[in-house]
């Protein structure tokens, strides 16, 4: 059966106290609405319709994609009114309603819900709550059949005793929706067009309402303020940490690990405390990551070691390569197998060949460094003349003396050597020594200045 998904995301989110529309606030580095859209995509619907209102332009701009239909709700007159705005674009046999500020809803839960909706039946996701204050209550008859949803503000004292709450997530037969939405009224405590009133209408039309519950109540938790946002974030991170541990990763402390993107892991990976993984990260078997590392869009091959306090962005470490502590690997930094980058070394768009080493305090940018070459402490590739960038190319087994400045464009042949403190401005042939510094002279019997008397 075909499926349309409507995501409600027009609300203001006053309690966030933010210039950013509520649904754009991130959980695990991705906007709440982005999470909901990605989950919706997994259900392979024929259309995803996002109802926007507050901050509509910003939401549309940030999330624009070919498979999304944005629908403007100019005034927020209620959840029923919001869905009605999308109505002209709906044509599927089933319509699923989701919420842009309920980001942790799981695909599996929605699939279970969708199994229960049909041409002649609705499916409602409900949750049993210890404190259902504020939630719509699920009213059932003596046989347990759902009769209606009554909003908290409209509920009688007896109805307020009901602990089964409405999550808001609902799947309905598409052919009936227009009729029901057209008959909604706003004569209720909040003066809004309630989507929830559709339930009683369906029952009156003779359609049963099936219910389903999420595995975990946090799946249907919305974020109205930054406290709830932080709770969702922690819950997401705990889940991510558990999934990684189940795949054979040791997390020194699962409470001090953050995933803000996607990671694939091999077995026997060790991750120390306060590590943040962002974007797409690939971690192969036996990799070790020290404390306080931020690793974004990077690939760590088998047995690679990232020592404490390193920052990687768009980098690749070959098998058995290592970097840090305090290494900074920027986009295009590639370490060959067993290559080594030590403390306070920055690489950008630079390839270190197999077994090559840059042990201390260097900047290597736009550079190609051959296998087994050794870069002395304090070496700088001068790759920028203020207008253009130039490359430094080095062969294999090159030895760069400490504190050398390699003024690009420049190339050094295999087994070339530079003397410490050299400024290298012209190419160095293979097997030769380049010394580009002032010659030392010693002055015999040099008398040091002495302090003047009186
Ligand atoms: C709604 C449900 C309630 C349920 C609760 C769960 C209704 C009438 N009530 O109540 O039964 O227990 O969610 O959290 O549906 N929105 C729009 N346009 C509007 C109004 C709302 O896009 O005109 C969006 C909001 O941005 C929000 C969501 O719909 O994401 C829910 O709206 P809200 O006003 O918070 O509904 P509740 O009163 O919490
Ligand atoms: Ca709400």
């Amino acid at each position: 059966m075909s499926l349309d998904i409507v995501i409600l995301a027009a609300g203001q989110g006053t309690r966030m106290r933010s210039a950013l529309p509520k649904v754009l606030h991130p959980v695990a580095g991705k906007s709440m609405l982005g999470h909901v859209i990605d989950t919706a995509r997994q259900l392979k619907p024929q259309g995803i319709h996002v109802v926007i209102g507050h901050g509509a332009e910003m939401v549309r701009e940030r999330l624009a994609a070919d498979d999304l239909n944005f629908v403007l709700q100019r005034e927020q007159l209620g959840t029923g009114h919001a869905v009605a705005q999308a109505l002209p674009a709906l044509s599927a046999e089933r319509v699923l309603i989701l919420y842009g500020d309920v980001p942790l809803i799981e695909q599996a839960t929605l699939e279970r819900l969708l199994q229960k909706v049909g041409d002649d039946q609705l499916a409602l996701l409900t949750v049993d709550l210890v404190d259902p204050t504020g939630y719509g209550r699920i009213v059932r008859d003596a046989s347990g059949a759902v009769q209606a949803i009554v909003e908290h503000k409209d509920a009688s004292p007896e109805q307020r005793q009901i602990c089964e709450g409405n999550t808001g997530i609902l799947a309905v037969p598409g052919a009936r929706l227009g009729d029901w939405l057209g008959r909604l009224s706003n004569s209720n405590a909040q003066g809004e067009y309630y989507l929830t009133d559709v339930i009683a209408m369906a029952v009156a039309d003779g359609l049963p309402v099936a219910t389903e519950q999420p595995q975990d109540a946090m799946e249907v938790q919305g974020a109205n303020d930054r406290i709830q946002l932080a709770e969702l974030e922690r819950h997401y991170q705990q889940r991510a940490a558990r999934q990684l541990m189940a795949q054979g990763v040791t997390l020194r402390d699962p409470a001090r690990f953050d995933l803000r993107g996607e990671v694939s892991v091999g077995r026997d990976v060790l991750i120390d405390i306060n590590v943040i993984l962002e974007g797409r990260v690939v971690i192969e078997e036996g990799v070790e990551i020290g404390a306080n590392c931020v690793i974004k869009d990077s690939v760590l091959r088998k047995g690679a070691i990232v020592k404490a306090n390193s920052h990687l962005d768009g980098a690749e470490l070959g098998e058995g390569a290592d970097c840090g502590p305090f290494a900074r690997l920027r986009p295009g930094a590639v370490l060959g197998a067993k290559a080594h980058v030590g403390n306070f070394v920055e690489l950008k768009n630079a390839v270190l060949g197999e077994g090559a080493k840059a042990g201390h305090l260097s900047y290597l940018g736009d550079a190609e460094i051959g296998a087994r070459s050794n870069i002395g402490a304090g070496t700088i590739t001068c790759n920028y003349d203020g207008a253009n960038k130039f490359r430094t190319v080095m062969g294999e087994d090159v030895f760069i003396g400490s504190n050398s400045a390699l003024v690009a464009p420049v190339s050094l042949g295999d087994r070339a050597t530079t003397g410490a403190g050299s400024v290298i401005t012209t190419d160095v042939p293979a097997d030769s020594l380049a010394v580009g510094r002032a010659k030392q002279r010693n002055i015999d019997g040099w008398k040091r200045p002495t302090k003047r008397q009186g």
Side-chain angles (χ1 to χ4, degrees):
M1 286 178 90
S2 56
L3 174 67
D4 268 316
I5 297 179
V6 179
I7 303 173
L8 303 193
Q12 184 163 22
T14 318
R15 281 179 282 161
M16 283 287 180
R17 295 184 188 280
S18 176
L20 194 66
K22 173 161 87 163
V23 294
L24 291 184
H25 280 263
V27 168
K30 180 161 77 181
S31 70
M32 290 197 280
L33 179 55
H35 282 275
V36 180
I37 289 170
D38 285 349
T39 305
R41 283 182 175 132
Q42 290 166 354
L43 299 169
K44 308 215 182 323
Q46 66 174 40
I48 299 177
H49 312 273
V50 186
V51 180
I52 52 177
H54 281 282
E57 275 325 298
M58 208 192 286
V59 175
R60 199 196 296 259
E61 218 169 85
R62 295 276 182 93
L63 289 158
D66 290 345
D67 61 345
L68 300 181
N69 172 37
F70 289 95
V71 179
L72 188 64
Q73 185 193 23
R74 280 178 205 288
E75 270 183 292
Q76 281 69 58
L77 303 179
T79 49
H81 178 260
V83 176
Q85 307 312 299
L87 208 50
L90 305 181
S91 59
E93 293 154 281
R94 302 172 299 170
V95 178
L96 173 67
I97 315 295
L98 299 176
Y99 298 83
D101 59 352
V102 181
L104 301 189
I105 186 67
E106 296 231 23
Q107 180 187 357
T109 302
L110 296 175
E111 276 167 354
R112 279 190 282 119
L113 185 74
L114 288 170
Q115 272 163 21
K116 294 190 168 173
V117 63
D119 289 334
D120 301 309
Q121 178 160 296
L122 281 71
L124 181 63
L125 194 67
T126 73
V127 61
D128 292 322
L129 297 155
V130 177
D131 177 14
T133 306
Y135 280 77
R137 305 300 208 283
I138 311 299
V139 179
R140 294 177 184 266
D141 68 12
S143 73
V146 173
Q147 296 300 294
I149 298 175
V150 181
E151 289 305 298
H152 181 90
K153 286 185 181 148
D154 300 290
S156 65
E158 295 75 41
Q159 288 168 331
R160 287 189 183 177
Q161 300 300 309
I162 299 171
C163 288
E164 186 180 14
N166 173 31
T167 66
I169 294 172
L170 169 72
V172 299
R176 307 272 193 150
L177 188 59
D179 170 44
W180 294 330
L181 292 178
R183 284 154 54 199
L184 291 180
S185 103
N186 65 352
S187 46
N188 51 48
Q190 299 180 80
E192 288 180 9
Y193 295 92
Y194 293 161
L195 176 63
T196 45
D197 285 350
V198 158
I199 299 295
M201 289 181 186
V203 172
D205 286 353
L207 277 74
V209 178
T211 58
E212 191 53 65
Q213 296 220 328
Q215 291 256 307
D216 182 335
M218 285 303 277
E219 280 185 54
V220 296
Q221 186 64 55
N224 291 312
D225 56 33
R226 294 183 201 242
I227 294 165
Q228 290 174 332
L229 188 68
E231 288 166 359
L232 292 181
E233 176 78 30
R234 269 310 99 204
H235 185 81
Y236 180 98
Q237 296 304 346
Q238 278 166 17
R239 203 166 72 185
R242 282 206 206 99
Q243 279 167 6
L244 286 181
M245 291 189 286
Q247 291 173 68
V249 174
T250 294
L251 292 175
R252 283 274 192 251
D253 182 358
R256 285 179 288 172
F257 166 77
D258 286 87
L259 176 61
R260 299 176 191 163
E262 284 157 42
V263 61
S264 77
V265 289
R267 292 181 311 171
D268 294 315
V269 165
L270 183 86
I271 300 182
D272 211 328
I273 61 166
N274 298 334
V275 168
I276 299 175
L277 303 181
E278 289 179 45
R280 282 174 191 277
V281 177
V282 175
I283 303 177
E284 293 185 356
E285 188 168 339
V287 164
E288 289 180 21
I289 302 173
N292 311 316
C293 290
V294 178
I295 302 178
K296 182 179 176 192
D297 295 325
S298 293
V299 177
L300 310 177
R301 299 285 178 213
K302 265 187 194 173
I305 297 175
V306 179
K307 292 182 188 157
N309 301 299
S310 292
H311 191 287
L312 278 62
D313 179 2
E316 178 173 346
L317 263 62
E319 278 191 33
D322 75 282
C323 73
F326 297 99
R328 169 113 195 262
L329 304 186
R330 294 167 53 200
V334 177
L335 274 59
K338 297 236 157 63
H340 163 74
V341 161
N343 47 207
F344 308 108
V345 173
E346 175 181 348
L347 262 69
K348 186 220 66 174
N349 197 16
V351 178
L352 269 189
E354 186 170 341
K357 292 181 174 143
H360 335 261
L361 301 153
S362 286
Y363 171 63
L364 303 171
D366 302 306
E368 205 178 302
I369 294 158
R372 298 172 306 280
S373 290
N374 186 85
I375 308 297
T379 297
I380 304 290
T381 54
C382 310
N383 60 331
Y384 185 50
D385 64 5
N388 296 296
K389 299 272 172 71
F390 301 96
R391 293 184 66 75
T392 300
V393 178
M394 249 175 250
E396 298 184 343
D397 299 293
V398 168
F399 184 95
I400 304 295
S402 294
N403 210 35
S404 291
L406 308 171
V407 183
V410 69
S411 68
L412 299 91
D414 293 343
R415 296 169 303 280
T417 303
T418 69
S422 289
V423 177
I424 303 297
T425 54
T426 57
D427 291 352
V428 183
D431 297 298
S432 57
L433 166 68
V435 184
R437 64 183 184 224
K439 203 168 165 45
Q440 179 177 335
R441 61 194 173 110
N442 296 338
I443 296 169
D444 288 342
W446 171 252
K447 295 265 183 316
R448 288 185 193 160
T450 52
K451 252 199 160 65
R452 263 186 240 151
Q453 299 298 318

